[in-house]
Amino acid sequence: GGGGAAGGGGGSVLSSSSNGQARRFALSPSSSLDIRKGDITAWFVDGASDTIVNAANERMLGGGGVDGAIHRVAGPELHAACLKVPEVLPGVRCPTGQARITPAFKLPVAYVIHTVGPVYDVHDQPENYLSSAFRNCLKLAKENNVKYIAFPAISCGVYGYPLKEASKIAISVVKEFSNDFKEVHFVLFSDDAYNAWIESANELL
Ligand code: ADP
């Protein structure tokens, strides 16, 4: 069972990026998992190291969904910063399951961590790629002394990952980092995603 309702608690973001639905679960005595509905481009807590995760594609030059929203709010400097990330294969800056960090420019956070989730019907054993994507984001955040980090539902849009399966993987990987962050947030756009994440948190935490 998880912790109690979070109400609006936390930073000032919580009124602007959330429609009021939010729950908080304890990961450890000093770390919590926060699940809320909202727009991740409006999310921040207060520290200089706040980080949002982008569900990018391997080119890392923008796209639809949350990627498009993040680039629109961050401004053209984000595109320029992504262009500077070296290609590891022609056209590939971030292979599926890996993560890259850039500044966040006009977003109200310090960093964007770009990761690429699997396409559910294309990649073999998509669960391995999805868990790697979450794990590599959290490793990179930890290396950069990030204390507050927010994830969207990676792969659950155009990439077609079923919400319940994705939420179990996401929360299981966050549990591996129970002592490393003050708060890990999931900022979810739809009721269906929010409900899946709450259900999995109740099962796993
Ligand atoms: P992917 O290609 O990894 O599937 P998408 O951007 O298509 O990525 O979708 C990932 C998830 O992000 C979906 O659940 C979608 O509803 C959600 N999403 C879209 N825009 C936003 C936003 N501004 N804030 C948070 N989540 C968003």
Side-chain angles (χ1 to χ4, degrees):
S12 51
V13 58
L14 302 179
S15 49
S16 61
S17 71
S18 155
N19 67 1
Q21 277 180 282
R23 287 279 309 274
R24 188 163 283 188
F25 299 82
L27 290 167
S28 77
S30 58
S31 179
S32 58
L33 170 64
D34 189 292
I35 298 171
R36 59 185 56 243
K37 272 195 69 187
D39 175 356
I40 202 167
T41 66
W43 180 92
F44 67 96
V45 177
D46 63 2
S49 72
D50 291 355
T51 296
I52 65 169
V53 173
N54 182 17
N57 54 53
E58 291 188 328
R59 273 181 84 222
M60 269 183 70
L61 298 180
V66 70
D67 192 10
I70 286 171
H71 275 270
R72 267 195 303 281
V73 178
E77 290 163 296
L78 182 60
H79 187 270
C82 287
L83 262 180
K84 286 189 203 154
V85 174
E87 292 187 5
V88 293
L89 287 169
V92 176
R93 292 182 180 76
C94 184
T96 302
Q98 295 190 23
R100 302 287 186 267
I101 192 166
T102 67
F105 304 103
K106 294 190 169 65
L107 287 156
V109 290
Y111 303 118
V112 178
I113 291 180
H114 308 260
T115 191
V116 183
V119 181
Y120 189 71
D121 287 335
V122 168
H123 288 92
D124 283 332
Q125 297 185 296
E127 64 277 13
N128 293 338
Y129 287 101
L130 191 63
S131 58
S132 292
F134 281 106
R135 195 174 290 117
N136 283 320
C137 289
L138 291 164
K139 278 188 191 165
L140 191 52
K142 193 177 161 182
E143 285 164 17
N144 284 276
N145 298 310
V146 169
K147 293 298 165 203
Y148 299 92
I149 182 167
F151 288 92
I154 297 164
S155 281
C156 293
V158 173
Y159 284 5
Y161 217 106
L163 289 168
K164 191 62 202 294
E165 285 180 46
S167 63
K168 284 195 269 185
I169 291 166
I171 291 166
S172 301
V173 176
V174 168
K175 273 180 78 173
E176 298 170 11
F177 293 80
S178 284
N179 292 306
D180 297 320
F181 300 94
K182 286 185 179 150
E183 295 174 14
V184 177
H185 289 224
F186 287 99
V187 181
L188 304 165
F189 220 44
S190 69
D191 286 325
D192 287 352
Y194 177 80
N195 292 332
W197 254 258
I198 294 291
E199 225 179 84
S200 293
N202 280 322
E203 288 163 16
L204 296 171
L205 298 175

